[in-house]
Amino acid sequence: MPTIFTKIINKEIPADIVYETEDVLAFRDINPQAPVHILIIPKIEIPKVTDLKGSEHSELLGKMFDAANVIAEAEGIAETGFRTVFNCGNNAGQEVYHLHLHLLGGRKMNWPPG
Ligand code: AMP
């Protein structure tokens, strides 16, 4: 089912886009939890991590992490460090059911996460 992220992909609603290829889009989170907080999404609709199949999606996942590394470099957080997170389902607090990789950086992160 399409989510608000499909509207961002289709440029029907605005977003602060920082990276775009044929397969992947990345934009700043509207409610940032760190100085750098960017969401990296596939352009195809995959609701969540449990819908991923290695046989189908490994290349796409590789492209999402390529995006994370390019963006981290551009944002100046590649050397200081950053966190990448996929929230999956209710207990993890997933709100938008279109797969997205959070890229968070620019401050010291705590572990374990809340
Ligand atoms: P999650 O809780 O992992 O599903 O994360 C969803 C994220 O999407 C949250 O961090 C929201 O702040 C973010 N978000 C929701 N709507 C938008 C939007 N229109 N533009 C940018 N980020 C959004």
Side-chain angles (χ1 to χ4, degrees), residues 73-96:
E73 193 68 48
E75 295 287 324
I77 58 170
E79 294 306 318
T80 50
F82 55 86
R83 185 168 289 170
T84 47
V85 177
F86 285 109
N87 290 322
C88 181
N90 190 50
N91 270 5
Q94 184 174 1
E95 289 173 358
V96 179

Side-chain angles (χ1 to χ4, degrees), residues 49-96:
V49 166
T50 47
D51 297 308
L52 286 170
K53 291 187 176 62
S55 55
E56 272 181 54
H57 301 122
S58 56
E59 193 178 339
L60 180 61
L61 282 169
K63 288 176 178 176
M64 290 173 74
F65 280 98
D66 283 349
N69 283 325
V70 168
I71 296 162
E73 193 68 48
E75 295 287 324
I77 58 170
E79 294 306 318
T80 50
F82 55 86
R83 185 168 289 170
T84 47
V85 177
F86 285 109
N87 290 322
C88 181
N90 190 50
N91 270 5
Q94 184 174 1
E95 289 173 358
V96 179

Side-chain angles (χ1 to χ4, degrees), residues 4-5 8 13-15 27-31 37 39 87 93-96 100 102:
I4 193 160
F5 289 177
I8 290 176
I13 63 165
F27 50 90
R28 291 187 198 282
D29 196 293
I30 206 166
N31 182 23
H37 187 174
L39 303 174
N87 290 322
Q94 184 174 1
E95 289 173 358
V96 179
H100 50 281
H102 292 261

